[in-house]
Amino acid sequence: MSRILDMGLQLLTRRLEEMFNIGINSFYKSIDGLLQYRDVENEVFESAKRLRDLHEEISEIATELIARYQPVAKDLRYIRSCLNISYDILRMGRYALEITRSSRMLGSLLECDLTPISEASEVIGQMLKNALQALQELNVDMAKKVKEMDERIDEIYRERIKAITLERNGSRECDVAIVLTLRNLERIADHATYICDAVEYIVTGALRHRE
Amino acid sequence: MAIESYNQLLRDYVELGKEEMADISGPEVVRVENLRVDYGGKTAIDGINISFKRNNITAIIGPSGCGKSTLLRSINRMNDLIPGAKVTGKVYFNGIDIYSRDVDPVFIRSRIGMVFQRPNPFPFSIFDNVAFGLRVNGFKLSKSELYEKVKDALVKAALWDEVKDRLDKHAYSLSGGQQQRLCIARALAVDPEVLLLDEPTVSLDPISTARIESLLRSIKDEYTIIIVTHNMLQAARVSDYTAVMMPDENMVGRIIEFGETRQIFTNPRDKRTEDYISGRIG
Amino acid sequence: MGHQVLTGAERRHARLRKFIDRVLPIILSVAVFIAVATVASLLLTVIITGGHRLSWNLILNYPSANPEEAGMRSAILGSIFTVGLSALICVPLSIATAIYLVEYSRGGRLSSLLRYNIANLAGVPSVVFGVVALGFLAYWLGMGRTVITGAFTLAILTLPLVTVTCVEALKAVPDDLRLGAYALGATTLQVVRRISLPRALPMMLTGGILGISRALGEAAPILVVSGILFIREDPTSLFSKFTVMPLQLYNWISRPQPAFIELSSAGIIILLLILLALNGVAIALRQYLMRRIGQTWR
């Protein structure tokens, strides 16, 4: 028998998935804009706005569900996690916008060696897809895999910073652009892992504190 | 130091105050070990192990017929009054097994009070209702002392302001919620150590229910409260610890999970608890 | 559900039910009428036959062969003595039995066995009690065919009836109240004294009066025990010889003179008046007690 609460939870899930897809699109768009030097700022900005609206809507749904149905246990953990995840996706949208804005500020980067960025983006793209899947399936193994992938992002970021401080022959613009972008990408990856923490919390009830 | 015999328990109650008793017998007021109750040959509950901590509210929840009330009634020997009831196992009250031979159930019941599902005030005046326990337990009190005790109990039960001008009125002139608070006052008047409540708000409206819940929170520093409730959210609101009972495949009630209320309601360990409190079964 | 078209059978069934609904009250009121009419015609006959014979003589004089002088003084006194005494024996005994059955041996096997037998006892023909009392009390115990023997006979006769009522009265006390008192540390005696008994007393007394009424009307067992239809002296002690009103009436009815038939009708009126008075007392007592314990509050 389906409960009244279940209908509310389904609505919450649909909104969250919508947010997730917008967030992933916005991430790809910002990276494409950067790599191919296209102006995507308006589109990414619109996505960020839409994410903000959806985040508000999810908060309202969640508040109503708590007030009206007094969810407990897994239901309660799910709602709490939806709020967190929705915030994480909101932040992802903001970082995508940051990437777009900084690349526009610095002009064309077609001359630079952007391999670290494309490599990191590829990993992050995978992380985001897996995180979405982990959420949809409440799959803890999948969530753990995403968190392992995050280590690779940190590695790329650290290596790049070390490389820039040691090598002095590269172009200044390129270095700034790459470090800035990697910084934002690293934040996006962090949020992907937070989402996976939330999935784990829903399933097991284990809380992990964010750094 | 501990209480070693029933006679010492009796003596200590006469000679020592409740606080000193608490110091002697430690934080576990009631401990149930391997309890089993049969009614006319049919096992109602079995394998019950649980202990109740002093000055805490413990809720017992579970679907109908899981033996919650049976467990509750075992704690102050009310099962003795049910024909065909057989209790095996041990129930310790301040370290003394209340089912051992030399223990007088009447004394146990004066130390472990009970409030029932439906308000059951006696057909006397409000005052006489509250004074009943003091009178039957042979407290030697002057008129003014009796009045003070009755007043104290009514104040604790959050009923004093509503009835102070009509203590001589019949108890049945009160509303259902007031009657139930009167029953709580009646139980508190004899100053028990433990207060058992068997679904005390099941017949009351939400406002009366909320009053009783907050009154329970307000008196928990002085009493150890065990409340059986169908209403899971009431357990969530009011209790510090929660025990979840469930009938097994033979319809014998068992405790499937016991823990802090916070943990039970946010992160239950047992799948059946999860399903029950989320409204998926029961 | 919505509006459905009824099949023929369903429609017939619905019509039948409607019909029964209309006819049943008529049948029932006819039954009531028959019962009331029978009692009324009996009463009427008695009043018409014996009304003019009512006089103080009837109460104050001893029986006599002369119908103008004959009274039932000795029989009225005999009835008051034996029945009053039997009530004093029977009511406390019944209440005690009921308290044991309901409050002490709560639903035990012995209790249900006893209760079952007591209920059966109520169905034993009253003359059997007379024969047993004659053999056991009057001869074997040597109490003789006296007032005290008659009182015990009537007490034993009414005991089952009154006990059953007392048991019902106690069972009608809500268990909630009992458990509430036990939970406060009351002993069984305190529960009985403070809770059960005050609440059951009105109904118990009604039962007691019912028993007394029954005893007052009994002729057969007393005939066996006392054997006297005609006596011209007052019972003065527990060991006096005696007769009772139903026997006096029986005596008069069996005489050939029409005047005695009229006398017996007048005697019946007096018996009925006494019964009526007793019932009035019972009702008044019950009302008073109920108000005192506040049952009427609900």
Side-chain angles (χ1 to χ4, degrees), chain A residues 191-204:
Chain A
H191 282 290
T193 63
Y194 296 157
I195 290 171
C196 292
D197 284 341
V199 170
E200 258 192 271
Y201 171 67
I202 295 170
V203 178
T204 65

Side-chain angles (χ1 to χ4, degrees), chain C residues 62-77:
Chain C
Y62 289 111
S64 151
N66 176 2
E68 301 308 316
E69 283 176 17
M72 48 195 301
R73 173 190 174 124
S74 47
I76 291 176
L77 285 176

Side-chain angles (χ1 to χ4, degrees), chain B:
Chain B
M1 250 210 314
I3 296 171
E4 267 141 25
S5 72
Y6 174 55
N7 282 331
Q8 192 196 340
L9 182 71
L10 282 175
R11 203 172 48 239
D12 287 353
Y13 264 116
V14 178
E15 288 167 7
L16 306 175
K18 233 161 63 165
E19 286 76 18
E20 289 169 87
M21 284 288 303
D23 291 342
I24 296 174
S25 71
E28 263 183 9
V29 187
V30 174
R31 194 170 82 248
V32 177
E33 275 181 13
N34 272 324
L35 183 78
R36 164 183 171 155
V37 179
D38 299 72
Y39 289 125
K42 202 206 158 297
T43 308
I45 53 176
D46 195 4
I48 304 290
N49 288 292
I50 186 171
S51 63
F52 299 96
K53 289 209 176 71
R54 195 179 296 276
N55 300 344
N56 273 299
I57 301 181
T58 305
I60 304 174
I61 62 172
S64 300
C66 69
K68 310 182 287 286
S69 299
T70 303
L71 171 57
L72 199 69
R73 282 197 298 267
S74 308
I75 296 169
N76 67 343
R77 292 195 61 171
M78 287 300 274
N79 272 332
D80 292 17
L81 302 170
I82 294 170
K86 186 168 149 269
V87 178
T88 38
K90 299 216 183 304
V91 177
Y92 295 98
F93 171 54
N94 284 319
I96 301 301
D97 178 15
I98 63 167
Y99 283 93
S100 79
R101 213 167 245 234
D102 53 347
V103 172
D104 178 9
V106 170
F107 171 72
I108 294 301
R109 289 184 205 124
S110 74
R111 305 310 316 149
I112 306 180
M114 189 166 193
V115 174
F116 299 81
Q117 265 184 38
R118 259 177 321 187
N120 58 346
F122 301 131
F124 317 143
S125 71
I126 293 167
F127 184 91
D128 288 342
N129 261 278
V130 183
F132 185 88
L134 296 166
R135 286 174 174 150
V136 298
N137 283 296
F139 285 77
K140 295 277 174 285
L141 298 170
S142 72
K143 231 175 176 179
S144 60
E145 285 170 332
L146 185 67
Y147 178 83
E148 282 308 313
K149 289 225 176 216
V150 168
K151 180 183 171 183
D152 277 357
L154 285 167
V155 168
K156 276 183 199 161
L159 190 60
W160 176 249
D161 289 335
E162 290 157 64
V163 301
K164 62 181 173 208
D165 302 323
R166 46 178 181 141
L167 292 174
D168 56 340
K169 287 278 179 335
H170 203 282
Y172 294 170
S173 67
L174 299 174
S175 73
Q178 288 173 325
Q179 287 187 13
Q180 193 62 306
R181 276 179 284 150
L182 179 67
C183 292
I184 293 174
R186 192 172 72 183
L188 295 183
V190 285
D191 202 26
E193 228 178 311
V194 181
L195 188 62
L196 309 175
L197 299 114
D198 189 357
E199 296 183 39
T201 62
V202 81
S203 63
L204 303 183
D205 64 273
I207 303 288
S208 303
T209 301
R211 278 215 182 109
I212 286 184
E213 287 174 1
S214 53
L215 111 76
L216 291 181
R217 293 302 301 185
S218 74
I219 59 171
K220 79 159 207 158
D221 290 340
E222 289 174 74
Y223 304 92
T224 305
I225 298 172
I226 306 174
I227 176 171
V228 160
T229 175
H230 263 317
N231 183 338
M232 286 163 287
L233 295 165
Q234 177 166 71
R237 283 192 296 268
V238 88
S239 69
D240 304 303
Y241 292 88
T242 299
V244 185
M245 292 186 71
M246 201 72 69
D248 64 11
E249 62 277 9
N250 299 318
M251 295 311 286
V252 175
R254 289 169 191 282
I255 292 179
I256 57 167
E257 190 164 356
F258 175 62
E260 279 186 56
T261 300
R262 190 168 49 106
Q263 176 251 314
I264 297 278
F265 282 92
T266 58
N267 190 15
R269 306 231 157 80
D270 193 293
K271 177 80 171 61
R272 292 167 294 174
T273 305
E274 165 94 42
D275 287 347
Y276 177 66
I277 61 173
S278 313
R280 292 194 177 85
I281 54 164

Side-chain angles (χ1 to χ4, degrees), chain A residues 156-203:
Chain A
I156 294 173
Y157 184 47
R158 272 199 306 273
E159 272 174 10
R160 201 61 225 161
I161 293 208
K162 209 187 270 172
I164 286 169
T165 42
L166 292 179
E167 301 167 16
R168 306 216 166 218
N169 44 7
S171 110
R172 278 278 166 113
E173 273 102 34
C174 284
D175 286 347
V176 171
I178 288 169
V179 170
L180 257 181
T181 309
L182 278 179
R183 166 79 193 143
N184 285 325
L185 285 176
E186 190 264 343
R187 294 305 302 148
I188 292 177
D190 278 350
H191 282 290
T193 63
Y194 296 157
I195 290 171
C196 292
D197 284 341
V199 170
E200 258 192 271
Y201 171 67
I202 295 170
V203 178

